[in-house]
Amino acid sequence: MVRGTQGEKRTHCVSVRLTPQELERWRKAQAATGRRELGAWVRAVVTERLTGRRGVPGDIPVVPEVNRQAFDQLAAAANNLNQLTRYSHEQRELHAAIQAAAEEVGRAALAVRGLGPDRVTADDIEADH
């Protein structure tokens, strides 16, 4: 996932305290834009106010609704794979579930690209490795 602008890493964090009512208003406004992260929404709103340009270069794109379920499954599978990899490093052994998780991530990645099990070819699988 690309964050920040090309060639430039974001290294500063800004905190803002909100009342419960303010947070609710912010989240409703964020939800109306389709952005999934409150921080990215705040950055986009402030940048638009300062520059007059909509959005932020390098901002995370909104996943089209047709791919939302596949995207969520891919994110969950990737998280599971990350946890299993961390476990394997700690235990100094390859956990058997890592292969299954890697295959799950591969299937989810193909689903995000619009390729179902009945439409997957050997070339598709090779392209993911």
Side-chain angles (χ1 to χ4, degrees):
M1 196 176 303
V2 177
R3 297 198 186 257
T5 55
Q6 189 174 9
E8 187 176 0
K9 184 176 181 180
R10 291 187 176 122
T11 58
H12 298 280
C13 180
V14 177
S15 297
V16 178
R17 294 189 183 273
L18 304 171
T19 67
Q21 296 81 14
E22 288 172 323
L23 180 60
E24 184 178 341
R25 283 188 11 232
W26 283 31
R27 290 213 186 270
K28 282 182 182 178
Q30 168 205 354
T33 67
R35 290 182 187 273
R36 295 183 73 172
E37 294 182 10
L38 185 60
W41 173 78
V42 170
R43 186 181 314 106
V45 169
V46 171
T47 299
E48 183 175 345
R49 175 78 172 138
L50 293 174
T51 66
R53 289 191 325 261
R54 202 173 146 94
V56 179
D59 196 9
I60 300 167
V62 175
V63 176
E65 280 304 317
V66 296
N67 290 338
R68 176 72 60 189
Q69 183 179 8
F71 178 84
D72 289 343
Q73 289 174 344
L74 179 59
N79 183 50
N80 291 343
L81 183 58
N82 186 43
Q83 290 176 5
L84 289 168
T85 301
R86 185 178 307 122
Y87 169 83
S88 292
H89 285 273
E90 290 170 358
Q91 300 300 316
R92 299 206 187 287
E93 64 181 57
L94 185 61
H95 194 279
I98 288 180
Q99 181 64 35
E103 291 171 5
E104 184 181 352
V105 169
R107 284 191 302 274
L110 291 171
V112 168
R113 289 178 20 209
L115 300 170
D118 55 334
R119 296 170 57 194
V120 176
T121 68
D123 293 335
D124 295 324
I125 295 170
E126 284 300 314
D128 283 343
H129 293 303

